Amino acid sequence: MKPSPELLNDVLDEVRPLIGQGRVASYIPALEEVPADKLGVAVCYNDGDIITAGDADEPFSIQSISKVLSLTLALQNYGPLEIWDRVGKEPSGQAFNSMIQLEMEHGIPRNPFINAGALVVCDLLQSRLSAPRQRMLEFVRDLSANPHIYYDKTVAKSEMDHSDRNAAIAYLMRSFGNFSNEVMPVLQTYFHYCALRMSCVDLAKAFNYLANKGLSLGAEKTIVSHTQSKQVNALLATCGLYDGAGEFAYRVGMPGKSGVGGGIVAVVPGEMSIAVWSPELDPSGNSLAGTAALELLAERIGRSIF
Amino acid sequence: MKPSPELLNDVLDEVRPLIGQGRVASYIPALEEVPADKLGVAVCYNDGDIITAGDADEPFSIQSISKVLSLTLALQNYGPLEIWDRVGKEPSGQAFNSMIQLEMEHGIPRNPFINAGALVVCDLLQSRLSAPRQRMLEFVRDLSANPHIYYDKTVAKSEMDHSDRNAAIAYLMRSFGNFSNEVMPVLQTYFHYCALRMSCVDLAKAFNYLANKGLSLGAEKTIVSHTQSKQVNALLATCGLYDGAGEFAYRVGMPGKSGVGGGIVAVVPGEMSIAVWSPELDPSGNSLAGTAALELLAERIGRSIF
Amino acid sequence: MKPSPELLNDVLDEVRPLIGQGRVASYIPALEEVPADKLGVAVCYNDGDIITAGDADEPFSIQSISKVLSLTLALQNYGPLEIWDRVGKEPSGQAFNSMIQLEMEHGIPRNPFINAGALVVCDLLQSRLSAPRQRMLEFVRDLSANPHIYYDKTVAKSEMDHSDRNAAIAYLMRSFGNFSNEVMPVLQTYFHYCALRMSCVDLAKAFNYLANKGLSLGAEKTIVSHTQSKQVNALLATCGLYDGAGEFAYRVGMPGKSGVGGGIVAVVPGEMSIAVWSPELDPSGNSLAGTAALELLAERIGRSIF
Amino acid sequence: MKPSPELLNDVLDEVRPLIGQGRVASYIPALEEVPADKLGVAVCYNDGDIITAGDADEPFSIQSISKVLSLTLALQNYGPLEIWDRVGKEPSGQAFNSMIQLEMEHGIPRNPFINAGALVVCDLLQSRLSAPRQRMLEFVRDLSANPHIYYDKTVAKSEMDHSDRNAAIAYLMRSFGNFSNEVMPVLQTYFHYCALRMSCVDLAKAFNYLANKGLSLGAEKTIVSHTQSKQVNALLATCGLYDGAGEFAYRVGMPGKSGVGGGIVAVVPGEMSIAVWSPELDPSGNSLAGTAALELLAERIGRSIF
């Protein structure tokens, strides 16, 4: 049985009191200015049904959620060894932007969802796509069936103005021979991907391929193979929430990916994709009320991969 | 459709050529002497059906697989905060017995399946159970419906003779106030648990509660609550295979727990528990052919949580 | 020209206002109870002249200063390779009791003046001396010409009651094969050495051999060779002040060794040994006013090895 | 008594058999091509006497020895707090280019002689000197009384082509707010300094100010104050030889600074400055035969600060 909009509204109402207990990302002004009380959820069933509540149609900065999309583009353009020789598949057990582990492991990032790993993936795309930014835009517009998705140039520029640590990460990987292109253009691509503005509805639609054996919403296109969709879900389950993946699996029980814009996408394989949005973050950098909403929703609809 | 014994035999035949490519655990003689060509698998369905192939009835040293059983005993005897204030729920991103992370995180182990975390769990049991070793024996004999399960005293003694690193870990946690009992008795308990001898059949039966909403095989007893069974599976999926959890999720797609004796248990929630055994280990310390057998089996029977 | 007692008194008066800005060691009660306003200095010239000021005759817990004495006993009883294969000669760049570096460097401590290194030295003494505690007592009584030096049993017992971290360090080294004896007896020896009670006068006399080519005060005995005395001074200069060795060299310009009891010994090779005492410590664990007194004294008497 | 040229020749003859046991730096071709059998020494007394042996007049790439010269320029242009708030004075206990410590210590390098610290010093010079490269050239030409000292442009360019790790270090410090200028121009300055070509004679003359209370050779100019010369010597003694400072103090007993070009300068305060050159390096990155030559020379002439 599918949840009613009322059930989704109830879930949002129950978690709304958490707003005020987290902190909106503040490292760039464009994120800091987002109202802390935004709260939205969208559920996209594999049959195309979409149920929403709250601010589900309002676009926000998807940030690290884009790391799944860039990995997916890489899976479409590279063989598995070309990717997995350069980035691992293991949880990092460290803060998302730590360089310590990267140095100890000789420039091979732990997984594609920490910054270092996503930068390697962008380096791959930079090498093989003629216009990696335009390609991504076409890709997400197509997945979400929304031609109005765009890059927030203010966010991208602001990220670039605060890019020293990511530049350090990229140069460190270059020093180990695990970065092929000039650093700055890849950072530009990476920050544009992070600066995609999408709504919960856009995201739930876009990620439905992970719930539906790799097929796009409506099953018209194969985005990745069924095996690959399971593999991406496995990576999300173990590495998708920074250093809070274990807690998320324990509480929510779904593969997911968060961004510091406050969005989280989650997947119930074979059934549905879900997106939530609440800008305040917990200490691990994941949406505080968003995680609580997913936990509650999972319980109410009786879904868990475990 | 349940797999036939033939299918299981085929799986074992296909992975058998891998034997010779891994290394049998050699840190204690009792493990080193196990023949490298042992290979077995047992599948236990929630309805009680058991299908086996190879050396499925031969007992072996379950080693770290016991960490799930000791956590389960702790869940039966302590409230959640009493446990999760003292041990985390996150992957470690480090070798299973690293002290570096433990020092940096002030004596709180990352999760209950690395050595430090399992020692904290044993410390908890030592504090509250009058006879923790006897209690465990009763528990697993009951779960497996096999009164002949016992501790291999040679293995336990040998572990105790090579216990310096685990003693160091326990003393370090004690220095941070996260260890209540004398170190040596807890190590004795811990090494006895590791020295349990069980067959694939024993293990598949014993772990069926994680596939069946927390109910014992035959559903006569509640071992843990349904929620707790999902939580334990979540911990297994993110932390159950040392520093190879991501790779295992990627390849096998089931929650699982390995031991350096070469055993691995895996869970298909709602359906079945599986145990495999092959003594040679990969560089992460997980059974090499055992992982391959689970990967192949998962593909053949079309099961994955992702 | 030798300093007058007035000059020493002036130095103490000038640094006395610093008292109140540091913190007395508080990890065991016996140290915490020492009055914070104790302040003393003793200078021992190679010709036997001793000049003092303040609380120079009052015994205190020498703590880590004993690490130089135990190393000296080891130099008398072992060949250089037997020592330097088991402990390094490099600064640690880490807190004095960190286990991180010890694990990364496979159980070989960086130098003999961090806890791990001193424990290895005690392990060496335990193996070769029939009564290592009695031997040390005879040694320091002889060096200081003071038969009343003794172990503070309250301090030794209190240290033993808070020995978990040092036990962890010793067990970690044992796990790497760099510790031969049972851990607890070596810890007992180690804590007794730390619990030696000596005054500034005792210490200045005892350490004169490092200022006088390895000869005891009065030049009657060879404690170590001239070359060894230079080597020990070199180790003190680079590793003698925990993670403040660079700052101490920069400010004071003499080889030295501190203890958390607030004592510091310093050496002007060819001329004199100095001991100061002020219980309050700086964040690196070195006597705050004691360091300042040595800095001022060095400037006033125009002495520096640099 | 000053050593005769014969004594210096004897020293070189005794250490020459070591050639073949080390490895010439190979990370850039320009260094790799230097003949491994070059061997030279120059001693410069404070009275101006210069005694040499071997290839003492042949210029080579001074590499990290330049870090002392850039620090000296910084001391001439900045107040102490302006420098020491941004770079520490402690040994690193890590490889010279490790980023791990730099991240853990929030972008403040341990000391001015590891790469990170020298980059901060160059960042300081870049901010305050109108032409930092020209200024350095004038400075060393003046110190060495040799107008023919120049930058090896091939080496500088080659370093810049392999600058990824140093760029990573600089960007990491920038991300912590401890780097003011654009990264690439500072790297250009830094690599030019490293690419200075000087002979043993040039170096012994240039560094005489550290042996002579801060005065230039001939005592005509004050390069740094007497106190500052002692402070720089203190830093050299504790931090001047990468992760081999303790061993160097133990064996040689003089403040010193090495470079991967195979040069080492050493100081006997109040008496003389010494430079040696032998291109093959030990595992710590210090000249293998050069260190041995200094050890032997110190013994023969009976000099040590300890």
Side-chain angles (χ1 to χ4, degrees), chain D residues 189-212:
Chain D
T189 296
Y190 172 76
F191 287 131
H192 273 78
Y193 289 178
C194 289
L196 276 168
R197 285 180 68 81
M198 297 171 72
S199 68
C200 288
V201 170
D202 292 332
L203 283 168
K205 285 178 173 177
F207 278 80
N208 193 260
Y209 69 100
L210 291 177
N212 196 16

Side-chain angles (χ1 to χ4, degrees), chain A:
Chain A
M1 200 196 69
K2 296 175 184 175
S4 61
E6 288 71 34
L7 187 150
L8 292 186
N9 269 314
D10 288 351
V11 164
L12 295 191
D13 286 344
E14 286 190 49
V15 304
R16 194 168 275 115
L18 292 173
I19 295 173
Q21 297 183 22
R23 294 183 58 173
V24 175
S26 59
Y27 68 99
I28 57 168
L31 288 180
E32 197 174 12
E33 290 160 8
V34 175
D37 61 354
K38 292 291 177 184
L39 186 61
V41 60
V43 179
C44 177
Y45 278 82
N46 290 2
D47 63 11
D49 271 6
I50 294 171
I51 304 162
T52 71
D55 305 308
D57 289 304
E58 183 166 336
F60 58 90
S61 192
I62 72 165
Q63 294 292 321
S64 290
I65 298 173
S66 68
K67 293 178 166 78
V68 190
L69 300 167
S70 49
L71 174 64
T72 300
L73 281 183
L75 289 168
Q76 292 179 341
N77 285 280
Y78 284 92
L81 284 186
E82 290 176 300
I83 297 173
W84 303 117
D85 278 357
R86 292 188 51 192
V87 57
K89 307 189 195 90
E90 295 303 328
S92 67
Q94 306 257 342
F96 67 99
N97 56 2
S98 169
M99 301 187 72
I100 293 173
Q101 198 168 50
L102 190 58
E103 178 171 358
M104 293 181 72
E105 300 186 351
H106 306 293
I108 306 296
R110 278 254 144 178
N111 65 65
F113 301 143
I114 54 172
N115 286 15
L119 286 168
V120 162
V121 169
C122 285
D123 183 53
L124 284 164
L125 297 181
Q126 195 84 7
S127 296
R128 197 156 288 180
L129 302 183
S130 56
R133 288 181 232 170
Q134 185 57 27
R135 179 74 193 84
M136 174 63 85
L137 212 49
E138 292 164 3
F139 181 54
V140 293
R141 285 173 174 175
D142 199 41
L143 280 175
S144 302
N146 177 357
H148 302 298
I149 291 171
Y150 65 97
Y151 294 124
D152 185 328
K153 295 285 181 185
T154 307
V155 169
K157 183 172 180 319
S158 194
E159 301 269 15
M160 201 66 199
D161 291 342
H162 295 79
S163 63
D164 289 331
R165 178 171 278 265
N166 284 303
I169 290 170
Y171 276 109
L172 182 59
M173 294 192 292
R174 241 175 94 98
S175 77
F176 282 111
N178 195 24
F179 204 89
S180 306
N181 295 281
E182 287 301 308
V183 167
M184 292 306 156
V186 177
L187 287 183
Q188 285 282 7
T189 297
Y190 171 75
F191 288 130
H192 273 78
Y193 290 178
C194 289
L196 277 168
R197 285 181 67 81
M198 296 172 73
S199 68
C200 288
V201 170
D202 292 333
L203 283 167
K205 285 178 172 177
F207 279 81
N208 193 260
Y209 69 99
L210 292 177
N212 197 18
K213 303 182 179 180
L215 303 176
S216 68
L217 189 56
E220 290 171 1
K221 293 186 193 171
T222 296
I223 307 301
V224 292
S225 71
H226 184 192
T227 295
Q228 285 175 321
S229 76
K230 290 189 285 185
Q231 291 168 341
V232 173
N233 284 334
L235 291 168
L236 292 173
T238 52
C239 318
L241 281 97
Y242 307 128
D243 202 12
E247 184 77 19
F248 189 82
Y250 183 90
R251 289 173 56 193
V252 177
M254 301 175 187
K257 182 76 200 80
S258 61
V260 291
I264 308 177
V265 294
V267 175
V268 181
E271 204 166 356
M272 69 185 98
S273 46
I274 309 173
V276 295
W277 178 41
S278 170
E280 288 185 353
L281 308 178
D282 66 21
S284 293
N286 301 311
S287 175
L288 191 130
T291 304
L294 285 169
E295 183 180 16
L296 203 55
L297 180 61
E299 186 199 314
R300 293 287 162 81
I301 63 175
R303 291 298 181 278
S304 161
I305 61 170
F306 302 119

Side-chain angles (χ1 to χ4, degrees), chain B residues 229-306:
Chain B
S229 77
K230 290 189 286 186
Q231 291 167 342
V232 173
N233 284 334
L235 291 167
L236 291 173
T238 51
C239 318
L241 281 98
Y242 308 128
D243 204 13
E247 184 75 19
F248 189 83
Y250 182 91
R251 288 174 56 193
V252 177
M254 301 175 187
K257 184 75 200 82
S258 62
V260 292
I264 308 177
V265 294
V267 175
V268 182
E271 205 166 354
M272 70 185 97
S273 46
I274 309 172
V276 295
W277 177 41
S278 172
E280 289 185 352
L281 308 179
D282 66 22
S284 293
N286 301 311
S287 174
L288 192 129
T291 303
L294 285 170
E295 183 181 14
L296 203 54
L297 179 61
E299 185 199 315
R300 294 289 161 82
I301 63 174
R303 291 297 181 279
S304 162
I305 62 170
F306 302 119

Side-chain angles (χ1 to χ4, degrees), chain D residues 171-287:
Chain D
Y171 275 109
L172 181 58
M173 294 193 290
R174 241 174 93 98
S175 77
F176 281 112
N178 194 25
F179 204 89
S180 306
N181 296 281
E182 287 300 310
V183 166
M184 292 305 157
V186 177
L187 287 183
Q188 285 282 7
T189 296
Y190 172 76
F191 287 131
H192 273 78
Y193 289 178
C194 289
L196 276 168
R197 285 180 68 81
M198 297 171 72
S199 68
C200 288
V201 170
D202 292 332
L203 283 168
K205 285 178 173 177
F207 278 80
N208 193 260
Y209 69 100
L210 291 177
N212 196 16
K213 304 181 180 181
L215 303 176
S216 68
L217 189 55
E220 289 170 4
K221 292 186 194 171
T222 297
I223 307 303
V224 291
S225 71
H226 184 192
T227 296
Q228 285 175 319
S229 76
K230 290 189 285 186
Q231 290 167 341
V232 173
N233 284 334
L235 292 167
L236 292 173
T238 51
C239 318
L241 281 98
Y242 306 129
D243 204 14
E247 184 77 17
F248 189 83
Y250 182 91
R251 288 174 57 193
V252 177
M254 300 175 188
K257 183 74 202 83
S258 61
V260 292
I264 308 178
V265 293
V267 175
V268 181
E271 205 167 353
M272 71 184 97
S273 46
I274 309 172
V276 295
W277 177 41
S278 172
E280 288 184 354
L281 308 179
D282 66 22
S284 293
N286 302 309
S287 173

